């Protein structure tokens, strides 16, 4: 293969790889559907805490370091904030 064909091939591959990267990054974008709040004076919707306690059962095979976020959330009371 001569150098001109090799340069064209590398240029084509770089364009294709760039396009794939851009398309994959666009696929990671979050949707921003903002619904207007019921209160016309407020620009931010109010989040309400559920009235009843929801029981969530979580089965963990053992107490090891990979499950530490669950235990920290229990200690910090994050689940109680959302009535879980």
């Amino acid at each position: 293969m001569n150098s001109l064909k090799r340069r064209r091939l590398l240029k084509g591959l770089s364009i294709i790889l760039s396009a794939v990267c851009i398309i994959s990054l666009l696929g990671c974008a979050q949707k921003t559907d903002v619904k207007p709040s019921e209160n016309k004076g407020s620009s931010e919707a109010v989040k309400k805490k559920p009235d009843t306690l929801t029981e969530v059962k979580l089965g963990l095979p053992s107490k090891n370091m990979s499950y530490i976020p669950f235990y920290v959330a229990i200690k910090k009371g994050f689940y109680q904030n959302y009535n879980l």
Side-chain angles (χ1 to χ4, degrees):
M1 211 184 248
N2 64 17
S3 64
L4 181 62
K5 285 184 180 181
R6 180 175 285 163
R7 274 192 240 142
R8 285 184 181 174
L9 180 65
L10 289 175
K11 186 176 180 180
L13 283 175
S14 66
I15 291 172
I16 290 172
L17 286 175
S18 298
V20 168
C21 289
I22 290 171
I23 291 171
S24 65
L25 288 175
L26 288 175
C28 295
Q30 295 179 354
K31 293 183 180 180
T32 56
D33 293 338
V34 178
K35 296 180 181 178
S37 68
E38 294 176 9
N39 185 2
K40 299 296 182 188
S42 174
S43 63
E44 188 175 326
V46 177
K47 294 183 180 180
K48 294 184 179 179
K49 186 175 174 180
D51 294 333
T52 59
L53 185 66
T54 304
E55 183 178 345
V56 177
K57 292 185 180 183
L58 182 63
L60 301 175
S62 66
K63 288 185 178 183
N64 61 26
M65 293 302 288
S66 63
Y67 299 109
I68 199 162
F70 295 113
Y71 297 115
V72 170
I74 290 169
K75 286 282 192 184
K76 296 266 185 180
F78 294 147
Y79 296 125
Q80 287 179 346
N81 288 342
Y82 296 100
N83 277 348
L84 293 175

